[in-house]
Amino acid sequence: MNIVFQKFGRPTYQGSRIYIDTEGIVPFGWLKGKRYDTEADIENNEIILSLNETGMNKISGKKRGDNYIPVIDKTGPDKNGNPVKDALKDCEHITISVVAVEDKEGEVVDYRVIIKGEKSTSTVKGAQSSDSSPTSITFCAGTGISSEALKQSGFKEIAAVEWNPKEGNEEKFSRLYQSNNPGTVMFNMPMEKLKAEHLPKADLWLATLDCTDYSKASNGTKKEFHTIHLFMHLMRLFWEKPKSERPAAVLIENVSEFEKIAGRSLELCFKEEGYHITKAHLNSLEYGSRTKRKRFFFMASMYEGFSFPLPEGIKSEPITADGKLTVNDLEWITPKESKTLAHFINRQKKKMSHNHVMTIFDITKDSHIGTITKSHHKVQPENWIRHPYKEDTYAYLKADHIKALQGIPEHLQLGDSNKLQVESMGQSVCYTLFIKIAKQVYSFLNSQKKNPKLHSLFGEKKVSSPQQLCFGF
């Protein structure tokens, strides 16, 4: 059967009435006065209409100009006595298709009208429940810092996707991830090469997608847009999954600029699937962190009511008050010992404010430092630490210092060099904030999975006023 005409619509009256008025079916013999039969395929959410001279139903019509528009108005049972409404029950939208039926010689002998109901993902998954701990898959997993937060919160990470686009170094981070998560399936491939059928079923998809094409840090430089497509492949993988195997929730983290380009598109896509959306721009300083990092967070859940953790307020006491980083932990140098430091100090003295402004902190007085980026290892002008009482004496934070400040578990392997460890942290989430988000997500999903009474509510839509199912728009 070949589709020769198709329309889209939404059911009302919970699918108990079919009302079609469109000129689109006229060329295929569906005219006023013709008779037809109805068959309801309840299992596949389909209603099949076939022209039949002795059919139990008759096409009516309404005047439009000088012509009559055929009208199919059906509320009763099909020819076998099955209620039509059962075929379209809980369906979010309906597609009406005219299909050409051919004989063995390939000649068209009939045109049938097939009404196909589609349920949203939340409706399909709403009837499912599990008492086991929630599972997760992480996309752009890096070395596994965000995955560690999920695991510490109670999730079981069952798969991860990680690919370093730099040729010849594709396993740069995935090897470290595997050492941190030996029991997790690793897909070391670009997301555009990944197939949904290969991904195991999981409750949560976490996507900490590469931010290069959105980040302010790349403004003023030539953008080649190597990673901007990742959010589209995330949706492709989602749509390729059978609705019963799609995640109950999708959590996305990225720079603030991500919302304007990708965030709004993702919101529309997930809402069409019956998911509830929660968005927030969160600053790690408001959640106990000693490093500044503002990020956009996006939660799409089939359950209603999720909220991100509330801000706790910025710490007022100095960094050294935690005991995680002291003056004696740092390696102090002077401009005489470092040409790089001398260069930045000289620029400061000349009040050169354009390009590479040096930011300086005192851990015995300041409550936090600036944002840690994946290029911090290059000794950028940001985050120099001034000695509290020695003049012209400074230190630059190394990987161990950053790891301690962000509260990253000591057992987590981030690399065998300072450069690789800093890159691992700079490209990932701020652990101090994300562990709190992960715990909130775990608590939310776990409470929903253990409350079967709620499952009957997922996917239900309230109809504000009864309307006809009409494909003539």
Side-chain angles (χ1 to χ4, degrees), residues 120-161:
S120 71
T121 301
S122 62
T123 302
V124 174
K125 291 186 66 64
Q128 300 178 1
S129 180
S130 173
D131 293 330
S132 59
S133 295
T135 54
S136 63
I137 296 176
T138 300
F139 298 84
C140 296
T143 56
I145 293 176
S146 57
S147 299
E148 182 66 21
L150 291 178
K151 291 194 302 181
Q152 292 292 332
S153 302
F155 283 92
K156 180 182 179 182
E157 181 101 316
I158 56 176
V161 182

Side-chain angles (χ1 to χ4, degrees), residues 70-221:
V71 174
I72 296 173
D73 192 350
K74 174 72 178 174
T75 57
D78 68 0
K79 68 178 184 179
N80 299 314
N82 298 315
V84 170
K85 66 178 181 180
D86 286 355
L88 303 181
K89 185 179 180 181
D90 295 330
C91 291
E92 295 295 315
H93 68 262
I94 292 175
T95 302
I96 177 172
S97 305
V98 178
V99 299
V101 182
E102 300 175 348
D103 60 17
K104 293 181 179 180
E105 284 72 37
E107 295 292 327
V108 176
V109 295
D110 192 14
Y111 291 99
R112 293 178 183 170
V113 173
I114 298 179
I115 302 169
K116 174 70 174 177
E118 291 287 344
K119 296 182 179 180
S120 71
T121 301
S122 62
T123 302
V124 174
K125 291 186 66 64
Q128 300 178 1
S129 180
S130 173
D131 293 330
S132 59
S133 295
T135 54
S136 63
I137 296 176
T138 300
F139 298 84
C140 296
T143 56
I145 293 176
S146 57
S147 299
E148 182 66 21
L150 291 178
K151 291 194 302 181
Q152 292 292 332
S153 302
F155 283 92
K156 180 182 179 182
E157 181 101 316
I158 56 176
V161 182
E162 172 52 37
W163 172 265
N164 183 41
K166 189 174 181 180
E167 186 177 356
N169 208 5
E170 293 86 359
E171 298 182 2
K172 182 176 183 178
F173 299 112
S174 62
R175 283 185 288 103
L176 288 164
Y177 178 94
Q178 286 181 287
S179 67
N180 291 317
N181 303 273
T184 300
V185 178
M186 165 54 64
F187 294 93
N188 182 221
M189 62 176 67
M191 281 180 64
E192 60 266 31
K193 302 295 183 184
L194 192 63
K195 297 185 181 300
E197 63 187 278
H198 297 153
L199 292 172
K201 183 179 177 181
D203 296 294
L204 173 71
W205 282 9
L206 168 63
T208 56
L209 305 176
D210 190 291
C211 68
T212 304
D213 295 331
Y214 308 97
S215 177
K216 287 181 179 179
S218 60
N219 285 352
T221 62

Side-chain angles (χ1 to χ4, degrees), residues 346-363:
N346 185 51
R347 290 178 62 89
Q348 295 291 99
K349 290 180 178 178
K350 291 181 178 181
K351 297 182 178 179
M352 300 173 68
S353 59
H354 68 283
N355 211 4
H356 298 310
V357 178
M358 189 175 183
T359 57
I360 302 172
F361 299 90
D362 183 342
I363 61 174

Side-chain angles (χ1 to χ4, degrees), residues 189-458:
M189 62 176 67
M191 281 180 64
E192 60 266 31
K193 302 295 183 184
L194 192 63
K195 297 185 181 300
E197 63 187 278
H198 297 153
L199 292 172
K201 183 179 177 181
D203 296 294
L204 173 71
W205 282 9
L206 168 63
T208 56
L209 305 176
D210 190 291
C211 68
T212 304
D213 295 331
Y214 308 97
S215 177
K216 287 181 179 179
S218 60
N219 285 352
T221 62
K222 182 180 179 181
K223 293 187 178 184
E224 297 181 353
F225 300 110
H226 286 308
T227 60
I228 200 170
H229 65 298
L230 294 179
F231 81 93
M232 292 184 281
H233 284 292
L234 183 72
M235 284 308 311
R236 173 185 62 80
L237 292 167
F238 178 89
W239 278 320
E240 285 180 358
K241 274 285 187 186
K243 291 186 178 181
S244 61
E245 295 185 12
R246 290 174 181 172
V250 179
L251 177 62
I252 298 172
E253 178 266 358
N254 216 290
V255 294
S256 295
E257 292 75 18
F258 180 88
E259 180 182 17
K260 297 178 182 178
I261 301 172
R264 294 174 183 175
S265 299
L266 289 169
E267 182 174 0
L268 290 172
C269 292
F270 282 114
K271 280 185 174 179
E272 283 295 320
E273 295 294 339
Y275 281 60
H276 303 278
I277 309 300
T278 307
K279 300 181 292 182
H281 291 266
L282 306 181
N283 190 335
S284 60
L285 292 180
E286 292 280 356
Y287 296 85
S289 175
R290 294 297 193 172
T291 61
K292 180 181 179 182
R293 195 181 185 103
K294 188 176 182 180
R295 288 293 183 267
F296 170 66
F297 290 90
F298 177 103
M299 176 71 161
S301 171
M302 58 175 276
Y303 311 124
E304 190 173 12
F306 175 78
S307 60
F308 287 102
L310 295 173
E312 303 167 0
I314 300 175
K315 289 188 174 183
S316 58
E317 69 275 11
I319 294 172
T320 50
D322 291 342
K324 295 179 180 179
L325 186 64
T326 68
V327 173
N328 294 331
D329 293 328
L330 302 177
E331 297 179 14
W332 300 98
I333 56 175
T334 65
K336 292 181 180 180
E337 298 168 313
S338 170
K339 291 183 179 180
T340 301
L341 175 59
H343 169 73
F344 289 135
I345 293 293
N346 185 51
R347 290 178 62 89
Q348 295 291 99
K349 290 180 178 178
K350 291 181 178 181
K351 297 182 178 179
M352 300 173 68
S353 59
H354 68 283
N355 211 4
H356 298 310
V357 178
M358 189 175 183
T359 57
I360 302 172
F361 299 90
D362 183 342
I363 61 174
T364 66
K365 295 179 181 178
D366 295 318
S367 63
H368 65 274
I369 60 170
T371 303
I372 296 296
T373 66
K374 60 185 177 183
S375 61
H376 177 92
H377 64 87
K378 296 178 181 178
V379 193
Q380 299 292 325
E382 296 89 357
N383 297 319
W384 281 93
I385 310 300
R386 179 191 287 116
H387 199 283
Y389 53 85
K390 291 183 179 179
E391 190 176 355
D392 284 341
T393 303
Y394 300 84
Y396 200 65
L397 296 175
K398 294 189 174 181
D400 288 343
H401 308 139
I402 300 169
K403 195 173 181 180
L405 280 177
Q406 294 199 3
I408 297 173
E410 293 184 6
H411 70 268
L412 208 62
Q413 300 297 312
L414 302 182
D416 54 8
S417 68
N418 182 73
K419 174 181 179 296
L420 185 52
Q421 290 185 59
V422 170
E423 281 187 283
S424 297
M425 291 182 283
Q427 71 157 9
S428 188
V429 297
C430 180
Y431 191 83
T432 311
L433 166 59
F434 196 76
I435 186 71
K436 294 174 181 178
I437 295 176
K439 289 179 178 179
Q440 191 98 336
V441 174
Y442 173 83
S443 177
F444 177 73
L445 291 182
N446 211 35
S447 65
Q448 305 297 340
K449 290 180 71 174
K450 290 183 177 181
N451 190 350
K453 291 182 180 180
L454 291 177
H455 289 289
S456 62
L457 300 177
F458 303 145

